[in-house]
Amino acid sequence: PTETVYGLAARADSDSAVAKIYAAKGRPSFNPLIVHVANVQAARSLVYFCDQAETLAQAFWPGAISMVLPRRDDCRLSLLVSAGLETVAIRVPAHPLAQNLLVRAACPIAAPSANRSGKVSPTKADHVLQSFTGINGAEKLLILDGGSCPVGLESTVIDLSGGDAILLRPGGITAEKIEAITGKLG
């Protein structure tokens, strides 16, 4: 669980693990994944931060905002998480169970919503189980039950890779709160 929705998690630095996320979800491989890290320092080791990213991270991380930023030249993430793009969607979740997992795993984790592609995102462990019942390999699911997700809506996704802040997906942090920091979103 994260504070937003439950995620289907795999090592973001493993091609085979990331490929399993796409297969399990039935997600098109051209649709990038969000990478979760434990803190801002871990994010900075994977992507280049601009001034707006620094400001948004200070204001909203840990929390329900994902930022699309340019991959560092030495980025160790699987290229599959970026779906062929030179950017990475990255965030620091606030949920204590997600934070505990990230610290213990000691690696970045790709974690899109834990549901089949195109279905409603799960906000409870039971929803995750329902999403994958009858799917090949579902009997191997390990679900970390953290109760209901407090936000219950996906993270807000902001693209900061081109200079201007562009809202790609509304979510747990309102556009108004972001615009109070960045100015008008594109």
Side-chain angles (χ1 to χ4, degrees):
T2 70
E3 70 281 9
T4 57
V5 297
Y6 274 75
L8 185 60
R11 290 185 67 111
D13 57 359
S14 166
D15 289 342
S16 63
V18 173
K20 287 178 184 177
I21 286 178
Y22 282 104
K25 285 184 65 71
R27 184 181 179 116
S29 61
F30 58 80
N31 191 351
L33 304 177
I34 296 174
V35 174
H36 295 64
V37 293
N39 53 50
V40 176
Q41 294 83 352
R44 283 192 198 108
S45 74
L46 302 171
V47 294
Y48 292 110
F49 267 61
C50 60
D51 290 342
Q52 281 188 329
E54 292 288 352
T55 303
L56 288 173
Q58 185 176 27
F60 299 117
W61 276 357
I65 190 169
S66 299
M67 293 186 274
V68 177
L69 296 163
R71 292 175 73 102
R72 293 186 66 82
D73 296 335
D74 60 350
C75 182
R76 65 188 187 279
L77 296 175
S78 167
L79 294 173
L80 298 175
V81 298
S82 299
L85 302 173
E86 295 295 321
T87 56
V88 174
I90 198 156
R91 94 174 181 103
V92 177
H95 194 286
L97 196 51
Q99 275 291 315
N100 191 352
L101 175 64
L102 286 161
V103 169
R104 287 174 179 256
C107 68
I109 293 179
S113 57
N115 58 307
R116 297 287 291 163
S117 191
K119 302 295 182 188
V120 175
S121 296
T123 57
K124 296 180 180 182
D126 287 347
H127 299 160
V128 176
L129 185 59
Q130 291 166 10
S131 291
F132 292 98
T133 298
I135 304 297
N136 187 25
E139 67 280 355
K140 296 179 184 179
L141 276 179
L142 171 64
I143 302 172
L144 301 178
D145 189 346
S148 294
C149 297
V151 174
L153 181 66
E154 291 86 353
S155 66
T156 302
V157 180
I158 302 291
D159 185 346
L160 298 170
S161 65
D164 293 330
I166 299 171
L167 178 67
L168 297 181
R169 179 179 76 189
I173 308 273
T174 66
E176 292 78 22
K177 286 182 181 177
I178 296 165
E179 287 177 336
I181 294 170
T182 64
K184 188 74 174 154
L185 292 170

